[in-house]
Amino acid sequence: MIKLVKVCKSFNSQKVLDNLDLEIEPEKITVIIGRSGGGKSVLLKHIIGLIRPDSGQVFIDGIDIASLSDKKLNETRKKFGMLFQDAALFDSMTVGENVAFPLKEHTVLSKKEIDEIVNKKLLQVGLKNVTHKMSSELSGGMRKRVGLARAIVLDPKIILFDEPTTGLDPIMCESINNLIVNTQQLTKATFVVISHDIESTFNIAHKVAMLYHGKIIEIGTSDEIRSSNNPIVKRFIK
Amino acid sequence: MIRFFEFAGRPFIAIVEECGRIMLLLFSAIVWMFRPPFRFRVILKQMEFVGVNSLTVVLITGAFTGMVFALQSYHGFRMFGGESLVGATVALGMTRELGPVFTALMVTGRAGSAMAAELGTMRVTEQIDALSTMSVNPIQFLIVPRIIAGIVMLPVLTIISDFIGIVGGYFVGVKLLKINSGIFMSRITELVEFEDIYNGLAKAVCFGLIFTLIGCYKGFYTSGGAEGVGRATTESVVFSSVTILISDYFLTSVMF
Ligand SMILES: Nc1ncnc2c1ncn2[C@@H]1O[C@H](COP(=O)(O)OP(=O)(O)OP(=O)(O)O)[C@@H](O)[C@H]1O
Ligand SMILES: [Mg+2]
């Protein structure tokens, strides 16, 4: 269970999150929408403790991670997988080593087993014969998919996706969306997805939350959001 | 008046603040150094990077330092017929000062700057954040192995530099300037104590800590994109070199 209570965050004098309250249902896909530069990535980084709030609490399974020590935070983070907006692949490693990294760190699997899982996950995101490429040799869309494979490789309980389909062609977009839905059905993990693609948002989301001026101004099922009376929401989803 | 002190004091306060942050980083690096998992492979890779890859540049600087030192001291000593002391002078100079300091400065330029650039790039492309999200402590994974590599490899490089410097001095003194080889060598064994070598290596350990710590610090806390990485790299070399030279003075005054 993820719950943010009265979270405030400013950078210098710029208020990005302003008394934000958000409760994310477990074992569901929640999609966060909002304007570019509106603080979606910042919100996601609060959930995994990369950014600490100026005030307020971030509860993960009942523990307030905003006030946790680094060592305890490390433990909590084992429940998480995260895809960064720009993939954040380790550029000193190959694609295969990137995806294998969480497995090597946190499991005792043999090299052969790890290789198998890595290939399977890469196949799931539509990548073949790239394990030995350096991650700096990939296209933007390929990097994103490798990042996706790395985020889901440990089958974590909570997965955060920062714009998983931005920069992909329509066909790849659809297959990534399918992957997200299927993986979620299979693992029953909690998914938090940031998306700019309104149409696919409504297709994959159990819940949609709209971030506006540092607050969640509306949260509900796809249908509820579609028929919302809030003029800001209306304008955003057209 | 108060304005004046505020104005004059600001850079001073900035330096003190920065040193404080470096000390905090060192402290957490030490804490994480003794927590499992121990990443021997990463450490070995860094040792190769700091040590093996610096070998050529250390050999060249060491040899020519010893050679020019022999040449200069020969001209000096000849004025009062003390040519026989050239070997001992070179050996003392190399082991006490020139070996550790020049090696540290060269390795700072090569490896320290690369550390700042690499960690800086990882910071601005969120790779360090990605490490954290995978429950891997970035200080333990990135900084601890680099500091260990610096502390271990700089003394090794210094020994090599000392040796090759004395060989260079021998070459110039005995082969080119025709000093008697037996006297050259016996003066070295007479005047150079084990303590000289040992103290020089102790310096190298300190310098190894300084350049890796500052390189990692500058890289780790980079902000501001590619420009920030460039700035971090330059600052790390300047800051490390100055700190090495200053601390060399104090180390010398304590040791000898
Ligand atoms: N580390 C930081 N330091 C200073 N300002 C920051 C930092 N991170 C984010 N910001 C600021 O916070 C605001 C929100 O950024 P954020 O990346 O969360 O936007 P976003 O909603 O993810 O936008 P996009 O859809 O374009 O990715 C931006 O104005 C940005 O400049
Ligand atoms: Mg973003």
Side-chain angles (χ1 to χ4, degrees), chain B residues 1-13:
Chain B
M1 192 63 188
I2 291 174
R3 276 266 178 77
F4 171 77
F5 280 115
E6 267 180 14
F7 178 76
R10 204 167 297 146
F12 180 72
I13 291 172

Side-chain angles (χ1 to χ4, degrees), chain A residues 11 14 16 35-43 85 162-163 196:
Chain A
F11 292 108
Q14 178 198 4
V16 180
R35 288 195 354 219
S36 181
K40 302 184 297 300
S41 299
V42 170
L43 170 59
Q85 189 162 357
D162 199 341
E163 306 194 7
H196 274 301

Side-chain angles (χ1 to χ4, degrees), chain A:
Chain A
M1 193 216 48
I2 303 169
K3 192 172 163 189
L4 286 81
V5 182
K6 290 200 168 27
V7 169
C8 294
K9 183 72 196 181
S10 305
F11 292 108
N12 305 318
S13 59
Q14 178 198 4
K15 206 155 199 160
V16 180
L17 302 182
D18 181 11
N19 258 320
L20 176 138
D21 286 305
L22 172 64
E23 193 165 340
I24 290 170
E25 264 188 68
E27 305 184 5
K28 291 276 159 58
I29 300 177
T30 302
V31 179
I32 297 170
I33 55 175
R35 288 195 354 219
S36 181
K40 302 184 297 300
S41 299
V42 170
L43 170 59
L44 212 60
K45 286 177 188 166
H46 275 83
I47 296 178
I48 198 167
L50 280 178
I51 301 180
R52 288 178 195 255
D54 297 336
S55 66
Q57 287 113 29
V58 180
F59 291 103
I60 306 295
D61 293 335
I63 304 171
D64 178 16
I65 61 163
S67 55
L68 231 48
S69 72
D70 277 354
K71 197 162 166 247
K72 294 231 178 75
L73 196 55
N74 249 356
E75 283 306 307
T76 309
R77 281 186 180 138
K78 286 184 183 154
K79 297 175 185 164
F80 283 90
M82 176 164 179
L83 165 67
F84 284 77
Q85 189 162 357
D86 297 314
L89 301 182
F90 301 127
D91 47 25
S92 62
M93 298 182 195
T94 65
V95 168
E97 286 166 344
N98 261 286
V99 181
F101 187 81
L103 292 168
K104 281 190 193 141
E105 285 296 322
H106 299 301
T107 68
V108 289
L109 298 173
S110 71
K111 194 172 167 346
K112 197 161 148 274
E113 289 166 312
I114 288 181
D115 284 346
E116 253 167 46
I117 299 176
V118 167
N119 282 325
K120 197 182 97 197
K121 296 286 178 189
L122 282 173
L123 215 57
Q124 280 184 352
V125 295
L127 291 171
K128 252 186 271 179
N129 301 325
V130 292
T131 21
H132 295 294
K133 278 203 174 188
M134 291 309 285
S135 47
S136 50
E137 297 166 17
L138 302 179
S139 75
M142 288 163 92
R143 295 172 62 80
K144 197 126 231 184
R145 284 182 280 157
V146 175
L148 197 66
R150 189 176 69 180
I152 61 175
V153 75
L154 280 174
D155 295 323
K157 291 295 301 161
I158 305 169
I159 312 187
L160 314 176
F161 299 100
D162 199 341
E163 306 194 7
T165 55
T166 306
L168 303 183
D169 63 78
I171 298 170
M172 194 43 78
C173 254
E174 199 184 320
S175 79
I176 294 295
N177 281 330
N178 286 338
L179 173 73
I180 290 176
V181 171
N182 292 339
T183 315
Q184 201 277 332
Q185 268 169 7
L186 206 69
T187 61
K188 289 274 169 266
T190 308
F191 279 37
V192 184
V193 184
I194 292 175
S195 181
H196 274 301
D197 182 356
I198 298 298
E199 197 178 326
S200 63
T201 295
F202 288 133
N203 286 335
I204 64 171
H206 296 127
K207 280 283 175 71
V208 180
M210 165 120 190
L211 178 67
Y212 185 78
H213 277 315
K215 288 188 169 67
I216 299 293
I217 54 163
E218 189 109 354
I219 179 164
T221 63
S222 297
D223 290 336
E224 284 167 3
I225 296 291
R226 263 206 207 97
S227 54
S228 164
N229 289 323
N230 189 325
I232 300 163
V233 178
K234 266 184 166 165
R235 217 177 68 206
F236 196 79
I237 62 175
K238 271 184 263 119

